[in-house]
Amino acid sequence: MRYSTYLEVNLSLLQENVKKIQEMGAPQILPMVKADAYGNGLVPISQFLSREMNIRKLGCATLGEAVHLYRECPDLKSEMIIFSDTEVSSENWMHFYENLPITPVLHQASDVDFVLKNKNLKDLPLILKINTGMNRLGLSLDELELLAPRLKGRGVEHLMTHFACSYYPLKEGDKTHRQMEEFKKAKKLLNDHGVEVRETSVSNSGAIEQKFGFQETYIRPGLMLYGPPSVEPYTWDGHQISKFVTKILKTFEVKKGTPVGYGINVAPEDGYIGIIPVGYADLSVTTLSGVEILVNGVKGKIFARVNMDMSFIFFPIKDKNKIKSGDIVEIWNHDNRTIAYLADQAKTIPYHLMCAVTNRIQRNYKVN
Ligand SMILES: *Cc1c(COP(=O)(O)O)cnc(C)c1O
């Protein structure tokens, strides 16, 4: 438990982000809540989306995430779709698929074969992922062709693919368009075999920002729901739903050449140091040194080594009187550019920063 260091998650801002996406003319939204809803909290985020926003399908990465969610909220009215680590071909965990509103994405031929042969799974809706060029998970068109005759009676509930490069500005004939062409071939192939395809989805945040894939049944936003933009120049003006708050723990003056903390990292000039009680055990990113942090309108930089429980911020000596122990520090705030800017400087991506907030940091939920 921490007191004045916390992640504030504003659910009303999540609601506004969903509305903004809907106003873009998007089809139905299938929000991705994997990785603890990108660090924002699987259970509260899923409950809010389901109860307050009436969202009927949610996406996660692993069977364990879905099982955890239904254990915590047995009366949840939404269905969970597992996109990668489904464990569907494992007899040990099959009962979860029989007894909970969980559906696996079948992304390899052996899984499809297993489900088709297994009597206990005869009512499982078939969700198939097609590899259209990302070359990670998914059935190839050749594999789909072989399977198609066996899919005829049951039909495909949901056919999907995932884009490798949708965060680049779209251009005719680019990778994303080529993936879309492959996806159309998959649809046609099933159609030619008389296999009914009831629902489809292709778009993650990068594609959604560019209104690409809106003719399918669903879109699958992750990142943008929680705030950060993907496509540069940034046009997505959603809110960062979280704000990472801490405080100055201690301040002191340093002379040029003074070593600070572990190892030998010397002050580059006379300056003023503010220690914050946030280290790599709180925000698990090791490349924060040098990153700019604004405190009371004064620009400082993370300095020297990030420690387990603390980091140093180096301020210009002229601003010494503007910073004192107890002052509030927002590592990022509700402006979705702050996290993009921070990630850029830390040579990582906003996805990583949000997932890097460890469970030592309390999540405080707020509704306006
Ligand atoms: C994570 C994920 C998404 C969401 O991606 P974002 O870039 O965060 O919007 C969509 N679809 C699949 C299959 C995913 O795994």
Side-chain angles (χ1 to χ4, degrees):
M1 178 66 192
R2 307 288 296 275
Y3 300 99
S4 41
T5 294
Y6 55 89
L7 191 78
E8 181 171 296
V9 179
N10 186 322
L11 297 168
S12 302
L13 295 181
L14 174 65
Q15 184 159 20
E16 282 185 36
N17 286 349
V18 171
K19 285 201 184 121
K20 274 177 197 270
I21 296 172
Q22 286 165 337
E23 281 161 11
M24 292 167 79
Q28 293 181 72
I29 296 182
L30 194 169
M32 299 303 294
V33 295
K34 63 192 178 197
D36 214 16
Y38 291 49
N40 293 289
L42 171 69
V43 172
I45 295 286
S46 302
Q47 272 182 331
F48 185 81
L49 288 167
S50 177
R51 290 186 188 152
E52 306 299 323
M53 304 219 59
N54 222 15
I55 284 183
R56 292 285 74 104
K57 289 182 206 275
L58 300 166
C60 61
T62 72
L63 177 61
E65 290 172 326
V67 171
H68 174 73
L69 180 64
Y70 289 111
R71 280 202 177 125
E72 294 294 313
C73 4
D75 59 342
L76 198 80
K77 295 277 184 312
S78 304
E79 179 199 341
M80 266 293 213
I81 297 175
I82 323 286
F83 281 87
S84 43
D85 187 10
T86 65
E87 318 251 18
V88 69
S89 307
S90 161
E91 304 279 352
N92 291 346
W93 316 117
M94 209 160 61
H95 62 281
F96 288 127
Y97 288 111
E98 292 167 48
N99 301 316
L100 291 172
I102 303 179
T103 311
V105 171
L106 306 177
H107 54 67
Q108 53 191 336
S110 58
D111 287 344
V112 184
D113 182 63
F114 182 90
V115 169
L116 290 175
K117 282 183 179 151
N118 202 301
K119 285 199 183 62
N120 294 334
L121 298 175
K122 69 178 185 335
D123 296 325
L124 199 67
L126 297 180
I127 306 186
L128 303 187
K129 182 172 196 163
I130 307 300
N131 174 19
T132 55
M134 178 162 180
N135 301 325
R136 189 176 62 174
L137 302 179
L139 303 164
S140 68
L141 292 191
D142 290 343
E143 288 172 316
L144 190 64
E145 176 96 57
L146 287 174
L147 287 165
R150 299 168 65 196
L151 302 172
K152 205 167 163 182
R154 198 149 159 176
V156 171
E157 183 62 24
H158 187 138
L159 191 73
M160 51 95 39
T161 192
H162 192 50
F163 294 133
C165 297
S166 66
Y167 56 92
Y168 289 118
L170 290 172
K171 289 192 198 71
E172 209 51 56
D174 66 6
K175 173 89 181 180
T176 308
H177 283 85
R178 294 199 302 275
Q179 285 195 256
M180 195 65 171
E181 288 312 306
E182 286 297 298
F183 189 67
K184 284 184 192 153
K185 283 186 202 162
K187 273 190 205 168
K188 179 168 184 310
L189 188 158
L190 290 171
N191 194 42
D192 291 349
H193 279 85
V195 179
E196 186 194 358
V197 175
R198 291 182 280 275
E199 296 178 338
T200 57
S201 69
V202 295
S203 304
N204 65 339
S205 294
I208 298 163
E209 285 179 26
Q210 305 183 78
K211 302 187 181 183
F212 192 77
F214 279 19
Q215 70 286 354
E216 312 298 333
T217 325
Y218 290 94
I219 52 167
R220 306 188 308 264
L223 192 72
M224 71 191 306
L225 271 184
Y226 307 112
S230 301
V231 185
E232 287 184 83
Y234 298 141
T235 55
W236 169 239
D237 64 343
H239 312 279
Q240 182 69 32
I241 72 162
S242 65
K243 147 170 123 161
F244 192 169
V245 181
T246 185
K247 61 167 180 207
I248 301 282
L249 186 69
K250 182 196 165 183
T251 56
F252 57 97
E253 241 178 89
V254 283
K255 290 282 175 220
K256 179 175 176 172
T258 309
V260 177
Y262 287 119
I264 302 167
N265 293 288
V266 300
E269 60 194 34
D270 290 358
Y272 200 60
I273 301 264
I275 298 178
I276 53 171
V278 170
Y280 58 76
D282 305 291
L283 183 63
S284 179
V285 175
T286 53
T287 52
L288 285 178
S289 199
V291 164
E292 265 178 20
I293 304 277
L294 209 60
V295 184
N296 300 337
V298 176
K299 247 185 222 170
K301 276 190 176 177
I302 305 275
F303 174 65
R305 279 216 217 163
V306 170
N307 298 177
M308 183 184 285
D309 313 305
M310 283 170 268
S311 305
F312 300 98
I313 308 180
F314 189 95
F315 298 100
I317 191 72
K318 68 173 170 50
D319 292 321
K320 166 182 165 177
N321 294 327
K322 299 186 187 148
I323 311 285
K324 61 179 188 313
S325 165
D327 286 353
I328 288 173
V329 178
E330 292 179 357
I331 296 178
W332 65 73
N333 62 27
H334 291 308
D335 173 349
N336 73 348
R337 308 284 165 104
T338 59
I339 196 158
Y341 186 51
L342 201 64
D344 225 40
Q345 294 178 78
K347 299 194 169 46
T348 186
I349 49 178
Y351 296 84
H352 177 196
L353 287 185
M354 294 195 298
C355 293
V357 181
T358 69
N359 58 14
R360 190 158 77 170
I361 300 298
Q362 170 110 6
R363 271 72 170 165
N364 294 341
Y365 294 91
K366 187 174 156 185
V367 180
N368 286 346

